Amino acid sequence: MPDGGAAGHATPLDSYRVIANPAAPGASAGRRSGERADMRRVVPSGEARGPGDGNKRYRPMIMDFDTRANTLSTEIRDDWTPAIRDQWRKNIENIHQELSAEFGQRDFATKLQNFKDLGAKPFSVLAYHNKFLAQARSAFVMSAYYPALVGACTLGERILNHLVIKLRDDFKSSTHYKHIYKKSSFDKWPKMIDALADWNVLIPEAAADFVKLNARRNDCVHFRHDLDRDARAPALEAIQLLEAIIQRQFSAFGANSWFIPGTLGASFLRRDVETLPFIRLVFIPNSFLVSNRHQMHFTAGGLLVTDEVLESVEDLTDEQFAMGDI
């Protein structure tokens, strides 16, 4: 039986905002800045690994997501208890009110259906796409299907450009480097996809989805009569392809090879991937370097992460960390 079905919706400015330079009352002299008197310290995001941090792993936690469409699409079952059914109905009504305030009451039934058809916005660390993906989704909800289509396709191109430009100097010895090191932007998707795949930046499934999205991009930027009749289906397909890429490549959770397996309910980066250029660029800044004894506090001001301060620690393997060793 489900619980009350609270809807999940967070943005960089919402409940997953990190508190900048948080005060740590009672910090003891002689310890790292931010340590609490009870031998806990505030952990900043993206903190560099030090010589005494072998018992810690990076936990990606700066992200955005929106799972309200899942709540809206859930069938309220007769075999649930009355209290659970009432809570789900209340949550659904609250979402309706939120969406009406955001998108307007006019033609609300269509807007609501569009929102549900989009599905959940994937859990993603903050990178090059979050803000513009939200705008493409909003355009689709508002029935602005062609702008949503073009927005999703061109955002795919922006993601590829960002990755190539930010990471190319880490791959100067590759055969691709001589073709890309001078350019400030790129519009040939196959070249970018091939380079990023050869650098082991793009996982194979994300590379394949970029190829599919490139085909949608070519369809929408070159004249086609059929888009005058129906741009909704191509727009929905493009957004869902883009979100599949984001889910595969930028997810803060899941079974990606860079996560330690067996850490139920949380994801931590494997120790041996921390030096990979893509991980350094995208995941480390959105992560907290923590031990198994860290705590997360969701405060009115944002996300606050604290951890124990131990006098001496031993290095842990990923397997030991997953088992909960200290």
Side-chain angles (χ1 to χ4, degrees), residues 27-28 30-36 41 47-48 50 52-53 56 289:
S28 303
R31 299 196 180 277
R32 283 195 276 184
S33 175
E35 180 183 328
R36 293 178 182 272
R41 61 182 292 267
E47 184 175 35
D53 292 331
K56 299 177 181 179
L289 184 62

Side-chain angles (χ1 to χ4, degrees), residues 10-12 15-18 45-46 58-65 123-126 251-253 259 265-269 282-290 294-298 303-305:
T11 71
S15 60
Y16 276 73
R17 180 178 56 210
V18 176
S45 60
Y58 283 103
R59 180 176 182 179
M61 278 301 297
I62 305 177
M63 69 187 83
D64 76 340
F65 62 92
F123 286 81
S124 169
V125 296
L126 302 190
S251 177
F253 302 99
F259 292 133
S267 292
F268 300 88
L269 296 174
V282 173
F283 277 89
I284 298 298
N286 289 298
S287 300
F288 297 88
L289 184 62
V290 293
H294 73 283
Q295 296 177 356
M296 298 192 308
H297 313 270
F298 296 95
L303 173 63
L304 184 68
V305 179

Side-chain angles (χ1 to χ4, degrees), residues 13 23 46 48 59 103 105 111 120 123 176 267 318:
L13 299 180
R59 180 176 182 179
F103 298 111
Q105 186 59 41
K111 295 172 182 175
F123 286 81
H176 300 279
S267 292
D318 290 340

Side-chain angles (χ1 to χ4, degrees), residues 61-122:
M61 278 301 297
I62 305 177
M63 69 187 83
D64 76 340
F65 62 92
D66 187 348
T67 60
R68 292 177 296 174
N70 291 345
T71 301
L72 293 175
S73 300
T74 299
E75 177 186 1
I76 298 176
R77 295 166 54 98
D78 292 337
D79 58 349
W80 295 352
T81 66
I84 294 296
R85 292 199 303 268
D86 289 345
Q87 184 62 57
W88 272 83
R89 292 188 184 102
K90 180 179 179 181
N91 286 334
I92 289 172
E93 178 58 30
N94 288 340
I95 295 173
H96 285 178
Q97 293 177 6
E98 291 174 0
L99 297 178
S100 178
E102 182 176 356
F103 298 111
Q105 186 59 41
R106 179 179 294 180
D107 202 18
F108 183 70
T110 298
K111 295 172 182 175
L112 182 62
Q113 190 59 53
N114 285 344
F115 185 86
K116 291 169 66 175
D117 288 347
L118 279 174
K121 182 182 179 184

